Amino acid sequence: MTDELHSIIDLIRYGASRFNAAGLTFGHSYDNAIDEATQLVLHALHLPHDLGPAYGQAKVTLAEKEEVLALFLRRIEERIPASYLTGETWFAGLSFKSDPRALVPRSPIAELIEAGFEPWLGGREVRRALDLCTGSGCIAIAMAHYNPDWQVDGVDLSDDALALAAENKARLQAGNVKLLKSDLFAGLSGRHYELIVTNPPYVTNAETDALPKEYSYEPEMGLRAGDDGLDLVLKILRDAPLHLSEDGLLICEVGESERALVTLLPDVEFAWIEFKVGQMGIFAVECSELIAHHPRIRELAAAREPRAAEASGALF
């Protein structure tokens, strides 16, 4: 059957057809079979990811075709995300190393980074920024890349994730990034930022248990976040004012847990951000707004972890 595959476009079309027939799940950087097949073909052929369509009719050798088909087979039989098969993914126009030590970079926050976080920053000056739950380091490093005058901290609890982030920091020569190990804000005493960006775990227990096999290769601690997906988000909202400047801004991704958050905190003025494809469960909120509603946020967070909440005390 594959004897009739001769060109790059033949292989891409064939891979996309096989992926769709196999019922694969997409969602790790790419959301469709054609883009994933393209990623795998170009990787196997050692060609740039943005190769022009004029090369689609270029012929491949038998050895090259066998390498491509072997990648297709692994994608289908093992359900490994394409980015883990290639060891690379693109985020905010930058190439990141990607492997099972951290989630595959895929946050819509990339669009905000490339837009300079406007209009949400409103032109305010940023000197220090924080990427909380940095994982592979993609958000912290991209922020630092596009804003070389910023000092950016990337924080995570996972040693494996921080090791991968360090490799990406070196890969992209992000000298203005500092990587720190911390359980959310616990290890950041005395550090303050004009901008905090976070893509924390926000998948509910039920949703995590039901995820397709592709997600089983990612660290579960980067996904699971309680019955409503807000266990970590509420802690972040509670403690962020301690680390934000007076006019600081928090940007946070909560995905499908948006509805649960609005139900719990209906009086908080979350600005839900519109992206090119619509809303994606990401909000911006001012430090002053979090302080104004701190008692209610602290109460909700305390219900999730009573002993930790007792130790943390109040803001005032």
Side-chain angles (χ1 to χ4, degrees), residues 155-166:
V155 170
D156 207 284
L157 181 60
S158 166
D159 290 323
D160 284 343
L162 288 170
L164 177 58

Side-chain angles (χ1 to χ4, degrees), residues 166-187:
E167 292 172 27
N168 278 319
K169 174 184 173 180
R171 178 189 183 105
L172 289 160
Q173 300 180 335
N176 53 328
V177 170
K178 184 177 182 66
L179 299 172
L180 302 165
K181 182 176 181 178
S182 177
D183 185 356
L184 298 181
F185 293 106

Side-chain angles (χ1 to χ4, degrees), residues 104-182:
V104 174
R106 53 185 179 269
S107 172
I109 289 172
E111 186 178 318
L112 292 178
I113 295 171
E114 292 184 278
F117 293 99
E118 294 296 349
W120 311 104
L121 278 177
R124 76 190 82 182
E125 181 184 9
V126 174
R127 293 168 306 215
R128 297 189 59 84
L130 169 66
D131 171 22
L132 196 64
C133 305
T134 195
S136 65
C138 60
I139 290 175
I141 293 167
M143 284 199 294
H145 175 85
Y146 288 105
N147 302 279
D149 55 331
W150 292 9
Q151 293 300 312
V152 182
D153 288 348
V155 170
D156 207 284
L157 181 60
S158 166
D159 290 323
D160 284 343
L162 288 170
L164 177 58
E167 292 172 27
N168 278 319
K169 174 184 173 180
R171 178 189 183 105
L172 289 160
Q173 300 180 335
N176 53 328
V177 170
K178 184 177 182 66
L179 299 172
L180 302 165
K181 182 176 181 178
S182 177

Side-chain angles (χ1 to χ4, degrees), residues 50-292:
D50 56 353
L51 186 73
Y55 292 91
Q57 298 303 324
K59 299 297 188 291
V60 296
T61 67
L62 177 60
E64 288 174 331
K65 181 164 67 173
E66 288 176 346
E67 188 169 348
V68 170
L69 295 177
L71 275 181
F72 287 173
L73 189 63
R74 290 197 68 195
R75 180 67 182 94
I76 291 169
E77 292 190 345
E78 300 177 51
R79 295 307 207 255
I80 300 172
S83 292
Y84 286 167
L85 288 172
T86 65
E88 178 188 42
T89 196
W90 288 80
F91 179 85
L94 303 172
S95 168
F96 288 86
K97 182 175 182 179
S98 183
D99 63 39
R101 287 177 289 176
L103 301 187
V104 174
R106 53 185 179 269
S107 172
I109 289 172
E111 186 178 318
L112 292 178
I113 295 171
E114 292 184 278
F117 293 99
E118 294 296 349
W120 311 104
L121 278 177
R124 76 190 82 182
E125 181 184 9
V126 174
R127 293 168 306 215
R128 297 189 59 84
L130 169 66
D131 171 22
L132 196 64
C133 305
T134 195
S136 65
C138 60
I139 290 175
I141 293 167
M143 284 199 294
H145 175 85
Y146 288 105
N147 302 279
D149 55 331
W150 292 9
Q151 293 300 312
V152 182
D153 288 348
V155 170
D156 207 284
L157 181 60
S158 166
D159 290 323
D160 284 343
L162 288 170
L164 177 58
E167 292 172 27
N168 278 319
K169 174 184 173 180
R171 178 189 183 105
L172 289 160
Q173 300 180 335
N176 53 328
V177 170
K178 184 177 182 66
L179 299 172
L180 302 165
K181 182 176 181 178
S182 177
D183 185 356
L184 298 181
F185 293 106
L188 302 182
S189 178
R191 291 182 175 268
H192 297 87
Y193 309 90
E194 289 80 31
L195 175 65
I196 295 176
V197 181
T198 181
N199 179 17
Y202 57 74
V203 184
T204 68
N205 290 332
E207 289 169 338
T208 303
D209 292 340
L211 284 172
K213 186 175 180 180
E214 279 86 349
Y215 293 87
S216 69
Y217 292 94
E218 296 187 297
E220 186 176 287
M221 71 177 291
L223 297 167
R224 188 182 294 274
D227 291 338
D228 61 2
L230 298 176
D231 281 4
L232 277 77
V233 171
L234 289 172
K235 298 177 190 177
I236 292 169
L237 295 176
R238 179 193 66 198
D239 296 339
L242 293 170
H243 300 275
L244 280 168
S245 60
E246 185 177 353
D247 66 342
L249 184 72
L250 170 69
I251 292 177
C252 178
E253 180 170 342
V254 296
E256 296 297 325
S257 295
E258 172 184 341
R259 183 177 301 176
L261 180 61
V262 171
T263 299
L264 285 176
L265 294 167
D267 297 326
V268 177
E269 292 186 10
F270 296 114
W272 295 98
I273 298 172
E274 288 283 342
F275 292 85
K276 293 175 183 176
V277 295
Q279 280 197 22
M280 300 290 286
I282 297 175
F283 64 81
V285 65
E286 299 287 343
C287 178
S288 58
E289 186 71 7
L290 294 177
I291 292 174

Side-chain angles (χ1 to χ4, degrees), residues 291-314:
I291 292 174
H293 296 278
H294 178 71
R296 176 57 177 157
I297 294 170
R298 185 182 61 195
E299 177 187 357
L300 291 170
R304 312 287 171 118
E305 48 161 21
R307 285 176 296 180
E310 289 171 8
S312 67

